[in-house]
Amino acid sequence: MGKLKIIVIALVALIGISSNAYAEVAFLQPDDFVGFTFWLVSIACLATTAFFFLEYGSVAPAWKVSIAVAGIVTGIAFIHSMYMRNIWVETGDSPTVYRYIDWLITMPLLSIEFYLILSTVRKVSSIIFWKFLISTLVMVLGGYAGEAGYISSFLGFVIWMVAWLYILYEIFAGEAGKLCAKSANIAMVKAFETMRMILTIGWAIYPLGYVFGYLTGGVDSNTLNVIYNFADFINKIAFGLVIWVAATANTIGSRR
Ligand SMILES: *C/C=C(C)/C=C/C=C(C)/C=C/C1=C(C)CCCC1(C)C
C-alpha cells in the first residue's frame, strides 16, 4: 500500500513537471474561456486519476479492477486534454484527431465498466464483455471513418447511431440490464442505473454539440470545445465517481 502511494505521487509529479514544460511555451489568457475549460478539465482529470489510484488500495478486492479502469480513463483523458489545451492556447485550434484517439480508448473502457461492476457481485458471461467492447469500437471507428472522409459522414453517423442504440438496449433491456435488475446489491444497482443514464444523456451531448455546430453554419470550434470539455466531466469524472461510491459502500467493514 505504501509503495503504491509512492508510485502514484511520483507519477503525478512527473506528469505535472512534463505538462509544465509545455505550459512554458504559451500562457493562458484570462479571457480565453475555451482555454479555461481545457485547463479545468485536464487538472480535474489529473486529480481524479490520483484519487482513484490512491483509493485502489482501500476498496474491496472485487472492486479494484473497476476503480483501476476508472483511473485509467481519467488518466488518458488528462493526457489528451493537456495536449489539446496546449494546442488550443498556442494556435487557437483543436485537432479533432486527439479527441478521437481519446474516444477510441476511453469509450470501450467506459462501456466495459458495466460488465466489471456486474462481475463484482456475481459470475457474468464473458460474452457480455465482448459485446460492450466490440460495439463501442464499431461506434467510434464508424464515427471516425465518417469524420476522416473514408466513408460518407452520413454512413459514419448511422453506424455510430446503430451501435449506440445497441449498447443502450444491452444496458436497459438486454442481458446486462436483466442481470442488474436481478441483483440484490443496492449500491451496485444504483451505480449501474446512474451509469446508464450517463451513457444515455451524457453521451448524447457529443452528437448534439456536433449537430448544433453544423446547424449554426459550420462547426463553431469554440462552442464545440466547451461542450466537449463539459461532457468529459460527466462522462469520465462523474462516471468514475459513481463507481467509487458503490465500491466504497461495498467495502464498509474492511475499510480503515
Ligand atoms: C469520454 C468520451 C466519451 C464518452 C465520448 C463519447 C463520444 C461520442 C458519443 C461521440 C459521438 C460522435 C461520433 C462517434 C461520430 C460523429 C460525431 C459524434 C460526435 C456524434
Side-chain angles (χ1 to χ4, degrees):
M1 184 53 222
K3 215 190 268 172
L4 184 72
K5 273 191 182 157
I6 291 167
I7 293 170
V8 172
I9 291 164
L11 264 179
V12 170
L14 200 73
I15 293 167
I17 291 164
S18 59
S19 63
N20 221 33
Y22 281 105
E24 272 161 22
V25 182
F27 294 101
L28 180 64
Q29 299 305 308
D31 60 348
D32 179 359
F33 183 66
V34 181
F36 178 87
T37 63
F38 269 121
W39 274 81
L40 198 62
V41 76
S42 52
I43 302 303
C45 279
L46 176 62
T48 322
T49 306
F51 175 71
F52 287 148
F53 281 102
L54 289 171
E55 285 297 289
Y56 176 88
S58 32
V59 297
W63 286 84
K64 284 196 192 292
V65 182
S66 312
I67 292 294
V69 170
I72 289 167
V73 165
T74 52
I76 292 166
F78 162 66
I79 306 226
H80 283 114
S81 45
M82 196 181 78
Y83 268 97
M84 291 190 290
R85 173 187 95 184
N86 292 327
I87 288 167
W88 174 268
V89 170
E90 270 182 58
T91 67
D93 53 41
S94 52
T96 329
V97 64
Y98 286 106
R99 294 257 184 220
Y100 274 95
I101 296 168
D102 179 284
W103 296 350
L104 188 59
I105 311 170
T106 57
M107 282 172 65
L109 289 175
L110 288 168
S111 70
I112 285 165
E113 288 281 23
F114 288 96
Y115 165 80
L116 292 176
I117 73 160
L118 282 174
S119 307
T120 61
V121 294
R122 56 172 298 151
K123 174 120 187 62
V124 181
S125 156
S126 59
I127 293 174
I128 296 189
F129 170 88
W130 292 109
K131 278 184 184 171
F132 282 129
L133 182 67
I134 293 167
S135 51
T136 34
L137 282 176
V138 167
M139 185 172 168
V140 66
L141 287 175
Y144 181 65
E147 179 96 347
Y150 298 126
I151 55 174
S152 77
S153 51
F154 180 71
L155 182 61
F157 196 79
V158 169
I159 293 174
W160 161 77
M161 198 71 187
V162 169
W164 186 38
L165 287 175
Y166 172 74
I167 300 166
L168 290 180
Y169 164 77
E170 187 56 42
I171 51 181
F172 278 94
E175 238 180 304
K178 282 183 191 141
L179 285 178
C180 168
K182 268 190 265 171
S183 175
N185 188 313
I186 295 167
M188 191 285 286
V189 170
K190 271 201 184 138
F192 193 98
E193 287 172 354
T194 312
M195 286 156 61
R196 72 181 171 197
M197 287 322 288
I198 291 179
L199 211 118
T200 312
I201 298 164
W203 283 34
I205 297 172
Y206 302 88
L208 285 178
Y210 187 82
V211 170
F212 177 77
Y214 272 116
L215 288 183
T216 55
V219 186
D220 164 15
S221 67
N222 281 33
T223 317
L224 210 56
N225 276 307
V226 171
I227 291 172
Y228 283 0
N229 289 342
F230 166 72
D232 279 355
F233 255 100
I234 298 171
N235 296 319
K236 299 192 170 77
I237 297 176
F239 192 90
L241 287 173
V242 168
I243 295 168
W244 172 79
V245 169
T248 307
N250 277 284
T251 308
I252 292 166
S254 49
R255 196 178 165 84
R256 278 182 273 269

